[in-house]
């Protein structure tokens, strides 16, 4: 009976020992191993063995992480207050540095993304925020990527999701857009008048080279007016012929 109890305790001890020693890591996981508190290597994926009580490990997920950057109050360069939110895509490329160089790479990356978002957008005017999102995304990504490199983190992409503007500012932007459309309409109308005047000048120069061309133009206009079935016909009379009609030039 004593031997049976001994072997039972030994079996339990072995089971506990193997449970603490054997670790299984998934394909996307890595284990940062510390032996007596000192870093001794990175292991995984698959089956790894640890010495219980002497070695400890920290699991690190190597997949791409989607981090939602909460809304930030930003004052633009032209003193407009806006609320901006964004989303950040990053992943750990060096499990050792992500564990040793920073206490919590998730919290550190989140706080850095918030401060960088405010800093970058604060250097631009509201119109630039609304029109040049791609450029702003690239600027934020470059800054974050350069600062998180020491933590073994690669920032893959940054996307600005929402830019919330006050209702009064939305009305002001609408009035500005309406004024801009009116300005463009006036410019287009003026350019059309200028082009029409230029074409009329060119036509007048061509017809002035031959008096017969002007007469043909008169006949063409008369034919157009007659086809309108109007009871009144207005026909241009050359002033050069006024002297040939007695009394007409004097009465004029």
């Amino acid at each position: 009976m004593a031997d049976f109890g001994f072997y039972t305790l030994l079996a339990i001890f072995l089971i506990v020992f193997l449970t603490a020693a054997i670790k299984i890591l998934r394909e996307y996981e890595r284990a940062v191993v510390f032996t007596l508190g000192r870093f001794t290597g990175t292991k995984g994926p698959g089956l790894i063995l640890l010495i219980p009580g002497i070695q400890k490990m920290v699991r690190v997920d190597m997949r791409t992480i989607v981090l939602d950057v909460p809304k930030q109050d930003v004052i633009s360069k032209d003193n407009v207050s806006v609320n901006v939110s964004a989303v950040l895509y990053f992943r750990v490329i060096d499990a050792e540095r992500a564990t040793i160089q920073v206490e919590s790479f998730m919290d550190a990356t989140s706080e850095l993304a918030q401060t960088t978002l405010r800093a970058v957008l604060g250097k631009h005017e509201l119109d630039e925020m609304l029109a040049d999102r791609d450029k702003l995304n690239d600027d934020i990504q470059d800054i974050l990527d350069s600062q998180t490199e020491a933590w073994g983190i690669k920032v893959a992409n940054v996307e600005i999701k929402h830019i919330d503007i006050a209702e009064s500012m939305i009305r002001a932007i609408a009035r500005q857009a309406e004024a801009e459309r009116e300005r463009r309409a006036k410019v287009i109308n003026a350019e059309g008048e200028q082009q029409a005047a230029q074409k009329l000048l060119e036509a007048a120069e061509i017809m002035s080279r031959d008096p017969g061309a002007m007469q043909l133009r008169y006949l063409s206009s008369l034919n157009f007016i007659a086809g309108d079935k109007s009871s009144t016909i207005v026909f241009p009379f050359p002033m050069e012929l006024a002297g040939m009609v007695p009394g007409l030039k004097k009465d004029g």
Side-chain angles (χ1 to χ4, degrees):
M1 183 65 67
D3 293 338
F4 176 76
F6 172 77
Y7 288 120
T8 302
L9 292 177
L10 180 61
I12 295 174
F13 174 78
L14 290 175
I15 293 173
V16 173
F17 180 85
L18 292 176
T19 302
I22 297 176
K23 302 295 182 182
I24 298 176
L25 300 178
R26 298 180 179 88
E27 182 64 33
Y28 54 83
E29 291 180 327
R30 298 295 183 271
V32 180
V33 180
F34 297 89
T35 302
L36 297 177
R38 296 182 63 86
F39 170 74
T40 54
T42 302
K43 297 183 179 181
L47 179 67
I48 66 172
L49 296 176
L50 300 177
I51 303 175
I54 297 178
Q55 290 184 321
K56 300 291 184 180
M57 78 169 191
V58 177
R59 291 178 184 262
V60 179
D61 195 325
M62 306 295 289
R63 293 177 295 181
T64 298
I65 300 173
V66 181
L67 180 63
D68 193 13
V69 181
K71 285 186 177 181
Q72 301 295 310
D73 294 329
V74 179
I75 303 297
S76 65
K77 188 176 180 180
D78 50 350
N79 295 323
V80 178
S81 178
V82 295
N83 291 326
V84 184
S85 61
V87 61
L88 176 67
Y89 300 86
F90 70 96
R91 64 185 182 90
V92 177
I93 58 176
D94 190 331
E96 174 190 349
R97 286 188 290 172
T99 304
I100 298 176
Q101 298 298 329
V102 61
E103 179 181 1
S104 174
F105 66 85
M106 283 288 295
D107 294 339
T109 304
S110 176
E111 293 296 329
L112 181 61
Q114 296 177 40
T115 56
T116 303
L117 183 66
R118 292 194 298 267
V120 172
L121 296 184
K123 298 178 181 178
H124 297 271
E125 296 182 355
L126 179 60
D127 292 342
E128 296 175 349
M129 294 184 192
L130 299 175
D132 298 333
R133 286 198 183 186
D134 291 340
K135 181 179 182 301
L136 296 176
N137 292 337
D138 293 339
D139 292 343
I140 296 172
Q141 177 185 346
D142 292 340
I143 295 174
L144 289 176
D145 197 27
S146 63
Q147 296 191 21
T148 57
E149 183 180 3
W151 304 339
I153 293 174
K154 173 65 178 178
V155 178
N157 194 17
V158 177
E159 292 291 340
I160 296 175
K161 293 197 301 184
H162 300 292
I163 299 179
D164 297 331
I165 310 172
E167 186 67 26
S168 59
M169 184 55 61
I170 294 177
R171 291 193 296 269
I173 293 175
R175 291 195 298 270
Q176 180 182 0
E178 183 178 358
E180 177 64 19
R181 288 194 296 270
E182 292 179 356
R183 183 189 69 83
R184 293 180 181 178
K186 292 180 180 179
V187 169
I188 293 174
N189 186 46
E191 290 178 350
E193 293 291 341
Q194 181 183 9
Q195 294 175 5
Q198 182 66 30
K199 294 300 181 181
L200 288 174
L201 177 61
E202 294 175 0
E205 291 178 352
I206 294 174
M207 288 188 292
S208 65
R209 299 171 187 171
D210 188 353
M214 184 63 71
Q215 297 298 326
L216 291 174
R217 184 59 182 164
Y218 288 159
L219 294 175
S220 177
S221 300
L222 181 61
N223 182 51
F224 177 78
I225 296 173
D228 197 23
K229 297 180 181 181
S230 175
S231 59
T232 303
I233 296 178
V234 179
F235 188 73
F237 186 79
M239 296 302 297
E240 292 81 0
L241 300 179
M244 301 175 61
V245 181
L248 182 61
K249 185 174 182 180
K250 181 178 179 181
D251 293 339

